[in-house]
Amino acid sequence: MANRGGFSSRLGFIMAAAGSAVGLGNIWGFPYEVGQGGGAAFVVMYLIFCFVLCYPVMVTEIAIGRKTQKNPVGAFNALGYKKWNFVGKMGIFSGFLILSFYNVIAGWAFGYVYEMAIGNFDIATHFSEFVQDVFKVGAYGMVFMATTAYVVSKGISGGIEKAAKFLMPSLLIMILLIVGYALTLPNAMAGVEFYLVPDFSKITTSVVISALGQAFFSLSLGMGALITYGSYVNKKENIVSAAALITLADVGIAVLAGMMIFPLIGFMTDGAMDNVGSGPGLIFETLPQIFGTIGGTLGVVAGTLFFVLLCFAALTSTVSLLEVPVAYVVDEKNIRRSRAVWLVAGAIFLIGIPSLLGNGYSDFFTNFMTYPGSETATNFLGFVNSLANDSLLPLGGCLIVFFAAHVWKKHNLDEELSHGAPNYKGSFLQKYLNFAVGYLAPAVLGFIFVMTVLETYFGISIF
Ligand code: PHE
């Protein structure tokens, strides 16, 4: 066990876990989901899910990881419940799927670094051609995956921790500057209104489903990423407060990302807000324009820097996604870390190829399937994305909390959480977490999961 590695400091863990959470999910995914989900009403649902349901799941994952010092499959075995390790296996499967399409989008972001550097702000209106150039974006993706593998091969405190500590704060500053600038543009307020003034009539079942999926995805929950990171945390760490900081950082960056995009859309549409729902291309079709309006060298520098930082945010997430299957292979199959990393990364890259091709290049993967009750086809990337976010992650989260409270038992969870948190036992927070982990989260997550499957895959709506 001694050479498994671990985080070297409290800040290092928080930064790495926040680095896992903050990524494309916040800056690419959140604004487009808000756009498609009707604006502020989606934001409200998302915030409720993050704090009320997801925070308890996060605490539980980290506690299981630290208690067992194992990967998500080994963790269930170590606690003595081998039968439950299917939850960990499902998590590893979800991680495979997520990284396969995530890396494609990270490749786009990486490509945009170059486009910004040469001042090609027009790329905003040529996004669909850009993603169809599959050899080019495929090469960007390959470089991205290789970089991820390299960082993971360096192990925990060497690679992940060092990178996260410096890059996360830089990204935050950059976003704040862009928000400040975006708010000065004409018609920015139309965007702010769309984003922050809720119209509750817009809350439909599908808004609820995608807000929950987005919350899980954005917080890196439900697949054991935080069981894995938790396994490198030492006993002096206060898990409940660390998880609170991670949740706040993640939600904060997502909310700020919206404050960056929606005022810009207000500006671009003269306040009409009519292309907010444009989907996964949203940030790639809007952001370059903000740098275009800044213009000149400053625009080039700002645009390049922004996409560089976005790539780093994505990298701290891809690293955590790759770490999960790698930790599994290293712990359970006794393969050397340096070898395991490249094998797994290569396999995931291959699984990502349909997601790469399904953006106009291959008709089959572009019009991959049509959900019952829907008129338009979804591409392969969209299909895998929503399968993971909306179904697999919430189901994983539901099973993890149910397991912790009713199989492993609450007093064991409490015991683990009180290491590093001397005042935890007897506190209000303990009472809330007991209730949330034991009843609220399993019930609500279980219910929404059933609803999601019925609605998405069978076209049956219960409401
Ligand atoms: N949370 C990451 C993001 O928002 C994605 C992720 C999901 C990372 C699941 C790890 C596990 O970009």
Side-chain angles (χ1 to χ4, degrees):
M1 257 318 92
N3 60 2
R4 233 176 135 259
F7 291 108
S8 64
S9 66
R10 172 175 162 79
L11 189 67
F13 164 65
I14 293 181
M15 284 299 195
S20 165
V22 175
L24 296 171
N26 307 58
I27 295 160
W28 158 79
F30 182 71
Y32 106 68
E33 297 263 11
V34 173
Q36 291 191 323
F42 178 97
V43 180
V44 172
M45 292 305 304
Y46 165 81
L47 292 174
I48 295 175
F49 285 141
C50 283
F51 292 111
V52 176
L53 293 180
C54 291
Y55 169 70
V57 177
M58 181 182 290
V59 167
T60 309
E61 280 202 31
I62 301 174
I64 293 179
R66 184 174 70 178
K67 171 76 190 171
T68 58
Q69 316 254 300
K70 286 276 197 282
N71 66 83
V73 175
F76 290 95
N77 299 346
L79 292 174
Y81 302 98
K82 249 193 145 123
K83 274 201 193 123
W84 278 82
N85 77 17
F86 77 92
V87 179
K89 290 186 179 145
M90 201 175 86
I92 289 170
F93 175 68
S94 314
F96 254 75
L97 289 186
I98 294 175
L99 184 52
S100 76
F101 77 79
Y102 198 94
N103 187 64
V104 171
I105 300 155
W108 300 344
F110 187 44
Y112 264 49
V113 172
Y114 172 74
E115 302 296 336
M116 294 299 104
I118 60 168
N120 181 16
F121 303 120
D122 271 354
I123 187 85
T125 47
H126 298 282
F127 176 69
S128 58
E129 292 134 58
F130 174 80
V131 292
Q132 280 183 49
D133 191 346
V134 292
F135 292 99
K136 187 169 84 183
V137 286
Y140 285 133
M142 204 181 267
V143 174
F144 207 90
M145 186 65 94
T147 312
T148 305
Y150 176 76
V151 176
V152 174
S153 73
K154 292 282 152 210
I156 283 296
S157 59
I160 303 174
E161 194 180 323
K162 262 195 209 129
K165 256 193 219 166
F166 154 75
L167 296 164
M168 296 279 304
S170 320
L171 178 70
L172 178 62
I173 294 169
M174 184 79 200
I175 293 177
L176 285 172
L177 289 174
I178 301 177
V179 170
Y181 176 74
L183 288 175
T184 65
L185 296 169
N187 293 313
M189 282 309 137
V192 175
E193 192 184 318
F194 172 84
Y195 184 45
L196 296 180
V197 182
D199 167 0
F200 288 107
S201 69
K202 288 194 177 144
I203 297 187
T204 60
T205 343
S206 74
V207 169
V208 171
I209 293 171
S210 43
L212 181 72
Q214 177 60 24
F216 265 84
F217 181 75
S218 176
L219 290 165
S220 305
L221 294 176
M223 53 155 281
L226 293 178
I227 295 184
T228 310
Y229 271 23
S231 75
Y232 303 112
V233 170
N234 77 42
K235 290 274 184 207
K236 286 190 225 108
E237 179 71 72
N238 181 336
I239 294 179
V240 281
S241 75
L245 284 173
I246 297 162
T247 307
L248 282 173
D250 186 63
V251 171
I253 301 250
V255 169
L256 284 173
M259 282 304 281
M260 176 170 83
I261 304 292
F262 293 108
L264 177 62
I265 299 177
F267 164 69
M268 279 162 31
T269 60
D270 295 323
M273 299 306 292
D274 47 11
N275 66 350
V276 275
S278 71
L282 187 66
I283 71 156
F284 295 98
E285 288 161 335
T286 54
L287 271 176
Q289 311 214 12
I290 203 166
F291 304 115
T293 64
I294 299 175
T297 320
L298 186 60
V300 169
V301 172
T304 312
L305 198 63
F306 177 81
F307 280 99
V308 167
L309 291 171
L310 181 61
C311 286
F312 279 116
L315 185 65
T316 51
S317 301
T318 53
V319 158
S320 72
L321 282 160
L322 185 60
E323 176 63 28
V324 176
V326 167
Y328 168 68
V329 177
V330 171
D331 288 351
E332 310 294 313
K333 309 274 173 218
N334 275 324
I335 300 183
R336 254 186 305 125
R337 188 176 188 87
S338 50
R339 219 133 144 236
V341 166
W342 295 99
L343 283 175
V344 176
I348 296 178
F349 181 80
L350 295 178
I351 300 175
I353 288 178
S355 294
L356 177 73
L357 301 182
N359 301 287
Y361 183 82
S362 141
D363 193 47
F364 177 72
F365 291 120
T366 303
N367 299 305
F368 185 66
M369 70 170 284
T370 307
Y371 292 113
S374 158
E375 267 121 58
T376 45
T378 305
N379 69 3
F380 190 80
L381 193 158
F383 164 70
V384 182
N385 187 356
S386 78
L387 173 68
N389 292 18
D390 301 347
S391 303
L392 296 173
L393 298 182
L395 175 63
C398 177
L399 293 169
I400 290 169
V401 282
F402 181 86
F403 167 83
H406 303 289
V407 182
W408 184 38
K409 299 289 188 233
K410 275 184 221 163
H411 65 266
N412 288 315
L413 176 64
D414 280 341
E415 185 60 40
E416 186 55 38
L417 292 175
S418 48
H419 291 293
N423 303 328
Y424 176 67
K425 278 199 182 153
S427 65
F428 171 76
L429 189 61
Q430 183 208 7
K431 294 193 181 79
Y432 175 69
L433 285 176
N434 268 326
F435 167 68
V437 173
Y439 308 104
L440 185 68
V444 177
L445 294 175
F447 178 73
I448 298 182
F449 173 73
V450 172
M451 193 167 87
T452 305
V453 173
L454 289 177
E455 168 126 354
T456 315
Y457 301 103
F458 297 96
I460 305 170
S461 20
I462 10 188
F463 290 110

